[in-house]
Amino acid sequence: MPRKASLLDGEFWAVTVLLAVISGLLMWGVVIFPIDQYLPEATSASVDIDFIFRFMAFFSIPILVFVNGYILYFAWRYHTRKGDDITAVGTSIHDHRWLEFWWTAIPSVLMVALGIISYLVMPKYYLASAASVATVEAIGHTFYYEFRYPGLKQSIVNEMHLPVGKQVTIDLTSAEPDIRNAVIHSFWAPEFRVKQDMIPGMVVPIHFTPHEVGMYRIICTEFCGLGHSDMTGKVVIESQTDFDRWFAAQQRAQAAAAMPMEVPLAAGNAGAGGRLFAQRCIACHGTGAFSERKVGPGLGNLFHDPAHPTLVTGKPANADDVVDILEHGASSPEYGAMPNMQVNRLTPKDIADLVAYLQSLHQ
Ligand code: CUA
């Protein structure tokens, strides 16, 4: 049955009111949605970024609902029905000056407003700030985060601690030992609403004030190689007292590590070494053959490989030389750099366990 082609009849307005109601409900939902309950607003930056997110979502909803609502409604209303002349050409409608004016003006105003808000918010966080209590350096490596604190001689790996309520500046960069291994990483802490690339040769400062005590994730969101998905860290926001306690413990541990040490090789436990390997080493090393390379070579035949009797350092593959690499790290043009035991947070006992584990492997 052919339908009347009249455009602005009662049915059209009924649909318009329905779309307005759906839109209004969703917009109200955006206003009251407790983002903080699902993704804590852990820093000062979170609050501002979530405001921008709400602003965008709020005004996107009527555009989404009306555009798609009318598409569906008109597709249904004007589709060809039984008995219609299928060769008939529809009425061509174009040029409605007021409609065109408003659908150009409203989005333009919204885009400009969004631009102004972003312009006001971005420099609040993406800058160094003299008001910060400290500047922490964060360096992306393949595939871990290194954090340098003023007052600590050694870096901390994959774990950042910050006191609550104190503004802090973080200098972000990516440091790779040579240009062939230089890649871009990223520092993303979802609960902080902070996401910034770590770029070789470039230091990007950000600053914010932690608001909520807790433990949060740091995730690399820039594809940086085979170990990219393993490149995660954590950041702990704690009271000043807890932070001071942690800081003092780090200082004590580093002072102890500076003493000459004896690796108790005979006490090495292959089981404990295997668990440790799965946490600390697996991002760069597999347990396959030497050629099954991730970043460094596969270590499954480290001690039993006639084809590779020497280590990447050129020394024979015996326990003492493997201990030497675990303690001091190693670097080769082909495989890049492996960090030392302080950066890898390995104790002498850990090294003994890892050597026992590697000795137990046989491909
Ligand atoms: Cu580092 Cu992805």
Side-chain angles (χ1 to χ4, degrees):
M1 193 195 326
R3 294 166 60 91
K4 272 211 207 111
S6 161
L7 267 173
L8 306 180
D9 58 4
E11 186 183 271
F12 170 82
W13 289 112
V15 167
T16 302
V17 169
L18 176 68
L19 294 178
V21 169
I22 293 173
S23 191
L25 287 173
L26 289 172
M27 287 162 91
W28 176 241
V30 165
V31 171
I32 62 166
F33 186 82
I35 302 178
D36 189 41
Q37 266 181 32
Y38 294 89
L39 193 64
E41 292 173 335
T43 68
S44 51
S46 315
V47 180
D48 282 335
I49 297 295
D50 284 0
F51 172 77
I52 296 179
F53 178 74
R54 261 187 231 275
F55 179 91
M56 283 202 299
F58 185 84
F59 288 107
S60 302
I61 280 172
I63 297 172
L64 176 88
V65 169
F66 277 101
V67 169
N68 289 285
Y70 281 139
I71 287 174
L72 291 173
Y73 168 59
F74 290 140
W76 168 78
R77 177 164 172 165
Y78 295 110
H79 77 276
T80 308
R81 288 177 167 73
K82 234 181 219 149
D84 282 356
D85 174 8
I86 57 165
T87 60
V89 177
T91 319
S92 171
I93 301 170
H94 51 85
D95 295 346
H96 191 296
R97 193 165 299 172
W98 283 109
L99 263 182
E100 287 168 13
F101 173 79
W102 286 113
W103 79 45
T104 306
I106 294 174
S108 302
V109 169
L110 287 174
M111 293 309 288
V112 169
L114 196 56
I116 291 172
I117 298 172
S118 305
Y119 181 80
L120 293 175
V121 165
M122 292 288 282
K124 277 172 78 176
Y125 304 107
Y126 286 80
L127 279 178
S129 165
S132 293
V133 291
T135 298
V136 179
E137 293 171 23
I139 300 145
H141 293 267
T142 44
F143 299 99
Y144 62 94
Y145 292 99
E146 174 190 357
F147 300 115
R148 293 183 186 159
Y149 282 78
L152 284 185
K153 284 207 183 77
Q154 301 280 351
S155 309
I156 312 286
V157 168
N158 283 344
E159 187 172 323
M160 178 181 246
H161 285 243
L162 298 172
V164 71
K166 306 280 168 66
Q167 185 185 290
V168 65
T169 292
I170 301 180
D171 282 346
L172 299 165
T173 191
S174 165
E176 299 296 345
D178 71 79
I179 198 69
R180 282 165 297 183
N181 291 307
V183 287
I184 300 177
H185 298 281
S186 163
F187 180 92
W188 181 41
E191 285 85 356
F192 287 22
R193 311 295 192 274
V194 164
K195 193 180 196 182
Q196 172 59 46
D197 278 359
M198 308 171 101
I199 303 155
M202 189 172 161
V203 176
V204 182
I206 55 171
H207 72 271
F208 52 80
T209 305
H211 275 170
E212 287 184 24
V213 168
M215 183 151 69
Y216 307 100
R217 302 159 288 171
I218 304 170
I219 301 163
C220 182
T221 54
E222 193 67 55
F223 182 63
C224 52
L226 275 177
H228 163 69
S229 59
D230 293 312
M231 187 164 169
T232 56
K234 64 178 176 180
V235 50
V236 178
I237 299 181
E238 56 201 353
S239 68
Q240 184 71 52
T241 318
D242 287 344
F243 177 82
D244 291 341
R245 197 174 298 143
W246 170 82
F247 195 84
Q250 293 299 320
Q251 283 179 319
R252 278 197 303 277
Q254 294 187 357
M259 313 284 264
M261 70 189 100
E262 195 64 46
V263 174
L265 269 183
N269 177 304
R275 285 189 293 279
L276 199 59
F277 190 90
Q279 294 165 11
R280 307 277 174 79
C281 316
I282 206 79
C284 298
H285 294 285
T287 53
F290 184 89
S291 57
E292 290 173 33
R293 174 181 173 183
K294 280 182 164 182
V295 177
L299 299 180
N301 283 331
L302 186 61
F303 288 104
H304 321 274
D305 194 347
H308 293 278
T310 61
L311 304 168
V312 291
T313 51
K315 292 186 178 159
N318 61 42
D320 285 341
D321 294 311
V322 171
V323 167
D324 187 51
I325 292 182
L326 282 162
E327 278 183 0
H328 303 109
S331 129
S332 77
E334 192 183 352
Y335 293 104
M338 167 164 153
N340 63 26
M341 66 182 290
Q342 282 80 23
V343 170
N344 277 332
R345 285 175 300 140
L346 298 174
T347 64
K349 176 69 167 72
D350 289 341
I351 290 178
D353 290 344
L354 284 171
V355 170
Y357 171 67
L358 291 170
Q359 281 173 324
S360 75
L361 294 177
H362 226 306
Q363 289 304 303

